[in-house]
Amino acid sequence: MASPLLLTLLVTTLTTNTPPPQDFGAEAATRFAELALACVHREYPNKIAHVMAGDADVRPPRELTPAFYGCYDWHSAVHGHWLLVRLARTFPEAPFAARARKAVARSLTPANIEAEVRYLSAPGRVSFERPYGLAWLLQLATELREWDDPQAREWSATLKPLEARAAERIREWLPKLSRPIREGEHDQTGFAFGLILDWARQAEDRAMEQLLTSRVETFYGKDVRGPLAYEPSGQDFLSPCLGEADLMRRILPPARFATWLRGFLPEIPTDGSTSWLAPAVVTDPSDPKLAHLDGLNLSRAWMLEGIVSGLPPADKRLRSLRAVAKLHREAGLRAVTGAHYEGGHWLGSFAVYLVTGRGLRKP
């Protein structure tokens, strides 16, 4: 369990309609950095989603994807590196910063990225890590591009071929996707589109931004009465309904978003109550699928905070949204202990995304 001091550092009370004040300190940052440092180059156990074209493709993860082979799976390795970049950027003088830089430098070499591009581009891999892992790859690229640091600029340049290939894969896929993907795991489009849209705006990729905005409006713009009462499924780590709402606040002005949200989630109360959305409970944190629900509490918290940030300041639903976000924030952060690798290899990234307000920051 986290110490009382750590929870004091982590838990933010939402009091305004703007990004929450961040009292996330170096002590908590060190703990999350250690989780990523322990796994970004830990090859096993490993779960690979690997299409093989022949015997020659039977190779260990470190050879298949030499930049992102740790942390149990490719996407977790990607956002584990994002975590290290985010924290080294946010706490440049912290004791872990030098080790974080060393770990990122070990991974983001020209040879490693060239091999990653080659792997991603091979026949039979058109859907590899689409959209979740590719969205996190673009989020890593965004973090590096925003960081005013010589080494970060070098890494950004090194990553660029893989960034471009990932964006190309998304750009090719979006016009052919006929329906949104509404689920609580990796394939969900609501969450991934939010990350990709944030990247497109920061990268000033207007074509991607326009394509995404158009698809989002088509997929979600007329949705009403989202089935929030059916959530969560037993192994969700993303909320389909809240993920959609957190995406829509990125493309709608506050007044329009308030109206859309009223039709989509009419159950949000105006009295500050919290009974409408309770945090999920994990019955076995050593089970990799059941542990997903700890991540759900973290992602619900940042999605709720995102929804708050998109509403007009006088909206009467804000108190209830803030109160429920706080409950989920506290429940989620208590679970990031590192006691079980099943959660430890990825929950730190979700915690850092939440406590640093990554999704609330405008590029």
Side-chain angles (χ1 to χ4, degrees):
M1 293 291 289
S3 69
L5 175 59
L6 180 59
L7 290 176
T8 298
L9 286 166
L10 290 174
V11 176
T12 298
T13 300
L14 302 179
T15 57
T16 68
N17 194 37
T18 57
Q22 298 304 323
D23 53 5
F24 175 59
E27 179 183 345
T30 298
R31 180 167 167 271
F32 292 145
E34 293 295 343
L35 288 175
L37 286 166
C39 77
V40 289
H41 296 121
R42 176 176 171 176
E43 188 172 11
Y44 299 107
N46 204 300
K47 180 182 178 182
I48 58 176
H50 177 48
V51 174
M52 296 184 294
D55 290 355
D57 284 335
V58 182
R59 296 158 59 195
R62 67 183 180 278
E63 294 181 11
L64 295 170
T65 56
F68 305 118
Y69 63 82
C71 294
Y72 192 70
D73 47 37
W74 192 88
H75 50 261
S76 297
V78 170
H79 60 63
H81 284 81
W82 169 84
L83 180 157
L84 294 176
V85 170
R86 180 88 174 143
L87 291 182
R89 176 187 172 195
T90 306
F91 298 95
E93 304 303 322
F96 65 79
R99 288 189 297 131
R101 285 177 177 268
K102 184 177 180 180
V104 175
R106 174 179 166 183
S107 299
L108 301 189
T109 67
N112 285 350
I113 297 304
E114 180 182 351
E116 293 277 351
V117 173
R118 190 164 55 248
Y119 182 88
L120 183 60
S121 302
R125 298 189 184 131
V126 68
S127 63
F128 177 75
E129 290 288 351
R130 189 189 70 193
Y132 182 79
L134 299 184
W136 272 112
L137 190 283
L138 296 177
Q139 184 69 199
L140 172 60
T142 299
E143 200 69 48
L144 289 172
R145 192 180 288 108
E146 289 180 357
W147 191 4
D148 185 14
D149 175 87
Q151 195 171 30
R153 287 192 286 273
E154 179 183 340
W155 292 331
S156 179
T158 299
L159 189 65
K160 199 170 185 60
L162 185 60
E163 175 189 6
R165 190 70 185 98
E168 183 181 17
R169 275 283 162 84
I170 297 296
R171 193 176 290 111
E172 292 169 346
W173 174 57
L174 278 173
K176 296 184 286 187
L177 184 66
S178 62
R179 298 286 190 276
I181 302 172
R182 308 176 189 272
E183 64 169 65
E185 295 187 271
H186 306 87
D187 289 337
Q188 185 192 121
T189 48
F191 168 68
F193 286 176
L195 289 191
I196 298 166
L197 185 60
D198 290 348
W199 167 82
R201 287 171 172 167
Q202 196 278 337
E204 298 184 348
D205 188 331
R206 302 305 179 204
M208 178 71 92
E209 181 181 1
Q210 291 170 8
L211 175 59
L212 266 171
T213 300
S214 174
R215 301 307 285 158
V216 168
E217 290 176 341
T218 297
F219 288 154
Y220 304 112
K222 295 181 180 180
D223 282 0
V224 294
R225 305 195 71 84
L228 189 62
Y230 288 177
E231 296 187 22
S233 295
Q235 55 191 38
D236 283 355
F237 62 89
L238 299 168
S239 164
C241 289
L242 296 182
E244 175 177 341
D246 191 35
L247 173 63
M248 289 300 288
R249 61 93 179 170
R250 286 171 160 92
I251 69 167
L252 296 178
R256 282 188 60 201
F257 177 60
T259 300
W260 178 90
L261 186 66
R262 192 170 295 111
F264 183 62
L265 295 178
E267 62 266 59
I268 301 176
T270 59
D271 60 1
S273 62
T274 61
S275 59
W276 60 281
L277 191 66
V281 176
V282 172
T283 58
D284 181 1
S286 69
D287 185 299
K289 284 292 191 177
L290 297 180
H292 276 182
L293 292 173
D294 283 328
L296 176 71
N297 288 331
L298 294 168
S299 64
R300 273 183 172 179
W302 82 55
M303 290 169 180
L304 288 160
E305 292 176 6
I307 292 166
V308 166
S309 75
L311 289 170
D315 194 292
K316 294 181 179 180
R317 294 165 291 184
L318 291 174
R319 281 198 304 143
S320 287
L321 286 163
R322 291 174 184 138
V324 169
K326 183 174 183 292
L327 290 179
H328 282 79
R329 173 181 279 248
E330 291 171 346
L333 291 171
R334 279 197 300 270
V336 190
T337 65
H340 301 281
Y341 194 61
E342 289 78 7
H345 76 273
W346 67 279
L347 285 173
S349 297
F350 272 44
V352 169
Y353 190 89
L354 169 63
V355 296
T356 63
R358 174 71 261 189
L360 301 176
R361 295 171 184 268
K362 294 182 178 180

